[in-house]
Amino acid sequence: MGARALLWAPLLLLLVPPSQLPGAAAQGQVCSVDKTLINIEENSSPRPLVNISVPDGQHVTLGSSSTPSAFQILGNELFLNVTPDYEENTMLEAHLECRRGSTVVTQLVVLVSVLDVNDNAPEFPFEVKEWDVVEDTKVNSTVIPEGELKATDKDKEDVLYYTLQEVTPNASSFFSLMGVNRPALRLDRSLDFYQWQGMTFQLLVRDTRENVEPSHTATATLVLHVQPADLRPPWFLPCSYSDGYVCIQAQYHGAVPTGHILPSPLILHPGPIYAVDGDRGINTHIRYSILGGNTDNTFVIDPDSGNLTMAKMVPRDTTFILLIRGDQADQARYSVTQVTVEARSAAGRPPHFPQNLYRGIVAPGSSAGVVVRDTASPSQPLRIQAQDPEFPGLNSAITYRITNCSEFRMNGETVFTAMALEHERIFYAEVEATNTVTGDTATAIAEIWVSEQAPPSIAIPGGVSDQTLKPGTSQPMSAGSSRSSPASGTPGGGATAGGSSPEDQRFSTVDMAVLGGVLGALLLLALIGLAVLLSKHYGPQLLCCSRKAAQLPPHGFDNQAFLGDHEDTKASAPSPTPDPMPVETLCAPPDPEPLSHKQPNPEPQVLEPPGPESPVATRGAGDSPSAVRSILTKERRPEGGYKAVWFGEDIGAEADVVVLNTAEAGEDGDAGSEGSGEEDTDQDRGPHDKLGNSTYI
């Protein structure tokens, strides 16, 4: 204000009344004002400023140099005509001209100085400012400079005060302002991208200190985005331990067959070779390579996917320990892990089906090329898949075909119709899985219903089971259903007795429970009757055998010399082989043949004669009654009630064993055989005389 006063000092000379100037008395009276400098605060209301003394015969007007529209003269007073604003104009001028007629007699200047008042709020140059902060920014460093956050105030004399208020909880522990009058943002704590990826603040500015009036404030929003830094190397997954900062990387294991090359990438445990950037926010692509352990360049790794494949077959059992390196695409960081591959023989390990019976359904009238749907999930195709029990990498080498049914075909693991199927029926197709690498095969059964209705649910055995269905056998169906010729046109190959539809063959749970109870009671009665019949007809023999069995020595033979020959005889006995069913009859279930009630003729067991000195045969009659008696004797007893092997003394070498099949039993039949050392009274008889119903070998 002092500088302005000096500038206006020359003008004040013009305001001195002429009467006070030297020689004024000679000029007479002139116009005058009582004040020539007035101080007024901005935003003041219009008011009178000064009084003007005007001599007679003169009048006062505003000169053209006056501040436009700021003043007006009413009578002999100068009024302020506007509300002054310091920010617009700090000084107002009123030029007064006293005239006598049209001649200017006197010129007066009145100055109005506008005083600044705190009437404006501060302003930020932004409403929302977003700023990226790198994760590895050093603590105590300036994140945002002061010039980016500074506010302005039109009130020139005002001092601004800043406050940082958190919007994100606990965000204020990471950032603060450099000072209350310095809005630069400073980092106070290390950042972690995985815990704090974004923070929001509100920046407050005030043009006075707190609790001072009048006071004006302004706010702006500050959003900080934490950017990940490249701090961690690649991680081979799955990590056996990880806390987000470190990873104990996976090591992989696998097996390959010797003498073969797997056609697909190796299946490893705990998973495929896969690495990711340890800085997940950056997620740089990883490239793979083999560092060492690849003897004879047997394996090749895909640099982008990490799939490990065989380039050469392994001739013999061995173990490879491969070192796999994973590099970031920018070559900034890398990691190394280990893959152990064991090569061993794959012979004798056929494919394995997870279940023995697969069930599918297809609508009647389907043409060739229609996919068979899974009965358990009708919206999905029926997929039949076998697995190699030891080398999962061989699964891709397994092919499938249907061996016994021309109505269907395999396309990969999916079953399709091979021709039009017009009528409802059931097919039992044999699916053969062949490992094209080892040549091993395995089979499973696919029960395919050509029906509009879903088949009844049954328990499907899995794995190896005695209940595994074979091609040509029928699947258990609901009670009341009957099966006849496959050409009859109903599911199951036949119509029910009353021509009922498949819907009529369904029963409720209560019905099935009642039927099960009745069948269980009938089975119990049948078992009781069978036990009575066995007791009536075979009671004495069973009792005798049970007594003798209790007296057998631990080895089960009373003639130790007979044991070796018996084992040879048992090992050389051929087992009967059932005739295979013709292939053309396996696709649909055949009619059941009536069970035969004929008992097969038992083949006599041929026993070699013991040595001349059998330990049991020489046992005297003085032994206890519970002594075990040998059935091997050189004496032929005419009494009935026992079976014995009689060694005829005069029989030729070509036939020296006679098996006696005497079936009659007497109460004293056991008494005549106790003395094995007695002479036979019928020694004069030939070996072919009076054999009765004995069998001579």
Side-chain angles (χ1 to χ4, degrees), residues 427-481:
F427 293 91
Y428 290 86
E430 182 182 68
V431 180
E432 181 183 76
T434 302
N435 191 325
T436 57
V437 175
T438 63
D440 296 322
T441 61
T443 59
I445 303 301
E447 179 190 85
I448 303 175
W449 288 61
V450 183
S451 174
E452 294 288 352
Q453 300 294 330
S457 300
I458 63 171
I460 299 178
V464 179
S465 174
D466 294 335
Q467 300 179 357
T468 301
L469 292 179
K470 297 182 179 180
T473 60
S474 61
Q475 173 70 24
M477 302 179 68
S478 59
S481 64

Side-chain angles (χ1 to χ4, degrees), residues 51-98:
N51 293 321
I52 306 173
S53 298
V54 181
D56 294 339
Q58 297 182 16
H59 61 278
V60 179
T61 61
L62 289 172
S64 59
S65 299
S66 301
T67 303
S69 305
F71 304 96
Q72 66 175 343
I73 298 175
L74 295 178
N76 292 333
E77 290 183 321
L78 178 65
F79 281 82
L80 181 64
N81 198 37
V82 297
T83 300
D85 188 354
Y86 177 84
E87 288 71 33
E88 293 183 0
N89 201 339
T90 60
M91 185 69 69
L92 303 178
E93 300 179 16
H95 292 263
L96 305 179
E97 295 181 348
C98 292

Side-chain angles (χ1 to χ4, degrees), residues 565-594:
D565 296 337
H566 176 70
E567 294 295 337
D568 297 339
T569 304
K570 186 167 61 173
S572 62
S575 60
T577 303
D579 295 334
M581 185 174 292
V583 174
E584 56 271 16
T585 64
L586 296 180
C587 189
D591 294 336
E593 296 181 0

